[in-house]
DNA sequence: GGCAGGTTACTCGGATAGCGATTGTCCGAGTTGATCTGG
DNA sequence: CCAGATCAACTCGGACAATCGCTATCCGAGTAACCTGCC
């Protein structure tokens, strides 16, 4: 699995606690996590296409949550980044080889594929149980107070005050 | 996910229904599915390393199940091919950036990682519910009788009788 | 003081290279079965 | 006819290239704020 999921999940968490009404530029978000700015923005763009984030161009623009944090699940984020397609790809190898028949002869899907896809669905169902709001709540409980205050201050200060 | 899992699962299924006591060479198994022989053998070797298959060299050698089909789960096969490591890799990006603290300040694991890993565990648990015996039972029920008979005949005939 | 227009700077989105992992291939080491010879 | 040694062929395992997707980057199109000048 690509690391884009991790970046996207953390970015959504930060946007959930960022001051409401003010968009956060991708470059600033990347600075917060010390990530490659252009690459993070690629993933943020995927989240926008999925309807999870809203992007506003121009000065004072940036990214913001398109919906309440309670309604955004990890499943949506993963599917926005990794794609909605199945992870296991069935190539119907049972139809190949000297004993294989034509595709019409197989009314049901391959048992291997069904089992793999059922497991994937269990995975997606588990991901659906966690929302961005849950992640924020966990962070509020477990992240050291010092970082929480530093993050709050950093999010409030203007974009160019950080240096020295 | 790589296609090796699909090949490995189907190969195990065939070995489960193959005549007991006779090993099946990798090249012949590849012929059955019209797969690249050398590449399939690479995956079969991983299954051997995992203790799922037993390989015997020399004439009349080949691969065979190392344990009863009821005791081999899809989880074992997937982990043998794709590795036992976590699919989601947490890089602790919360520790990075201007607000990050030293690693000692974080007693618990990142919430994102915990949620992702919990979902993975649900996935693995679902995979563990399906055994090779289950896959064989499904195939016996759903695969066309014609192919089942052809496959049985093909498995019984000697390695060089197939051509013309 | 209020407003319109132009300028400017900032934002995002898509097209463009680099690298690692999966895919695919090959050859050598080892082992077993068959064969041939001698008794 | 039987035992033993030799031979040969078949097997697997690991080392070696090619291709695809993730990683990382840059530049252009578009937009909203800002500043200036005028009424």
């Amino acid at each position: 699995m690509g690391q884009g999921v991790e970046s996207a999940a953390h970015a959504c968490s930060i946007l959930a606690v960022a001051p409401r009404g003010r968009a956060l530029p991708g470059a600033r978000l990347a600075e917060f996590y010390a990530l490659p700015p252009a690459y993070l923005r690629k993933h943020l763009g995927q989240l926008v296409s999925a309807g999870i984030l809203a992007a506003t161009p121009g000065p004072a623009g940036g990214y913001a949550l398109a919906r309440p944090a309670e309604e955004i699940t990890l499943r949506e984020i993963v599917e926005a980044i990794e794609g909605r397609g199945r992870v296991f790809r069935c190539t119907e190898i049972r139809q190949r080889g000297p004993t294989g028949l034509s595709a019409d002869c197989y009314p049901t899907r391959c048992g291997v594929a069904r089992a793999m896809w059922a497991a994937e669905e269990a995975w997606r169902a588990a991901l659906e149980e966690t929302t961005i709001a849950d992640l924020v709540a966990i962070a509020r409980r477990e992240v050291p107070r010092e970082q929480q205050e530093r993050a709050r201050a950093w999010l409030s200060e203007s974009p160019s005050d950080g240096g020295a």
Side-chain angles (χ1 to χ4, degrees), chain A:
Chain A
M1 175 176 300
Q3 287 188 236
V5 172
E6 186 184 9
S7 307
H10 281 279
C12 288
S13 300
I14 288 298
L15 289 175
V17 300
R20 186 76 186 167
R22 273 168 53 187
L24 204 57
R28 193 152 170 72
L29 211 46
E31 182 192 355
F32 186 89
Y33 287 126
L35 293 173
Y39 189 42
L40 175 64
R41 282 209 339 232
K42 177 190 275 290
H43 294 316
L44 296 177
Q46 295 180 276
L47 294 176
V48 170
S49 299
I52 296 171
L53 299 186
T56 37
Y63 296 94
L65 291 186
R67 283 178 285 148
E70 292 83 8
E71 299 177 8
I72 301 174
T73 66
L74 262 184
R75 173 174 182 163
E76 287 182 85
I77 294 174
V78 170
E79 292 185 345
I81 303 297
E82 298 281 322
R84 237 164 308 281
R86 300 287 189 180
V87 177
F88 178 84
R89 284 179 294 264
C90 174
T91 62
E92 285 290 341
I93 65 178
R94 63 177 176 171
Q95 297 179 17
R96 304 179 57 178
T99 70
L101 307 175
S102 68
D104 307 337
C105 304
Y106 301 86
T108 62
R109 271 304 216 176
C110 172
V112 174
R114 293 215 308 268
M116 294 296 297
W117 289 342
E120 278 186 42
E121 200 47 52
W123 173 63
R124 288 193 163 86
L127 289 177
E128 199 156 17
E129 291 303 307
T130 302
T131 68
I132 294 299
D134 295 330
L135 294 177
V136 170
I138 291 173
R140 281 199 201 284
R141 267 189 278 115
E142 301 183 359
V143 168
R145 288 295 164 122
E146 184 181 351
Q147 183 173 19
Q148 291 196 39
E149 291 177 11
R150 281 217 265 177
R152 201 187 319 276
W154 190 92
L155 286 169
S156 302
E157 79 190 12
S158 58
S160 49
D161 289 357

